[in-house]
């Protein structure tokens, strides 16, 4: 599991709380996959450790902006003050895509804790395609 802090380059040790919410993200990602969607889940937590909002990927219906990290940014912009957003933590099953990273920054959310990186995801996709003997229909560049 990987942990980023916005504005800092050093990684942190994961706390028990971090591990708890990352497991919650994995459960949401599993729910998405079981519902025929891409396996991503995210949780927004305030500075007191309370879950504020959670979602999973919902792009299977055709709206490819329905990433959970983007939904968190939308929700936070409507429901939290700038100070609350700055001190909140976003937990996510996978590293933000460029769209979600921009939304995170524009809304002013704080720390991001990721269970996996984009590089790991790309490697897993490559391994899966090789194992299946297939060629991916789209590129998964990092």
């Amino acid at each position: 599991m990987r942990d980023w802090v916005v504005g800092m380059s050093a990684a942190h040790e994961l706390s028990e709380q971090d591990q708890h919410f990352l497991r919650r993200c994995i459960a949401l990602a599993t729910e998405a996959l079981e519902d025929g969607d891409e396996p991503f889940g995210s949780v927004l937590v305030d500075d007191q450790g309370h879950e504020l909002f959670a979602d999973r990927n919902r792009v299977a219906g055709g709206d490819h902006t329905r990433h959970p990290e983007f939904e968190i940014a939308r929700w936070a912009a409507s429901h939290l003050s700038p100070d609350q957003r700055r001190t909140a933590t976003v937990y996510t099953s996978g590293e933000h895509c460029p769209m979600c990273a921009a939304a995170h920054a524009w809304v002013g959310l704080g720390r991001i804790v990721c269970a996996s990186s984009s590089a790991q995801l790309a490697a897993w996709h490559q391994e899966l395609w090789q194992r299946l003997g297939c060629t991916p229909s789209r590129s998964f560049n990092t």
Side-chain angles (χ1 to χ4, degrees), residues 7-84:
M8 296 178 67
S9 59
H12 289 252
E13 287 293 318
L14 293 175
S15 69
E16 289 294 321
Q17 177 176 298
D18 293 338
Q19 293 175 38
H20 166 78
F21 285 114
L22 287 174
R23 283 190 292 276
R24 172 93 166 98
C25 292
I26 301 300
L28 288 163
T30 301
E31 177 185 311
L33 187 62
E34 290 171 351
D35 200 31
D37 220 320
E38 295 175 4
F40 296 96
S42 300
V43 178
L44 179 65
V45 176
D46 70 14
D47 61 355
Q48 300 300 307
H50 300 110
E51 182 176 314
L52 301 174
F53 184 85
D55 203 5
R56 62 172 182 79
N57 225 12
R58 299 179 188 277
V59 300
D63 180 352
H64 294 282
T65 66
R66 296 291 311 272
H67 296 190
E69 305 87 353
F70 199 75
E71 296 298 327
I72 282 175
R74 286 178 176 154
W75 185 90
S78 296
H79 294 89
L80 300 177
S81 71
D83 282 342
Q84 290 171 313

Side-chain angles (χ1 to χ4, degrees), residues 115-137:
S116 63
S117 70
S118 294
Q120 288 171 311
L121 179 61
W124 295 331
H125 277 127
Q126 185 67 27
E127 179 183 328
L128 175 63
W129 292 120
Q130 287 175 350
R131 206 177 310 149
L132 295 174
C134 301
T135 303
S137 60

Side-chain angles (χ1 to χ4, degrees), residues 79-100:
H79 294 89
L80 300 177
S81 71
D83 282 342
Q84 290 171 313
R85 294 193 302 262
R86 182 182 48 74
T87 61
T89 299
V90 175
Y91 293 92
T92 185
S93 59
E95 183 178 354
H96 286 13
C97 73
M99 174 185 71
C100 293

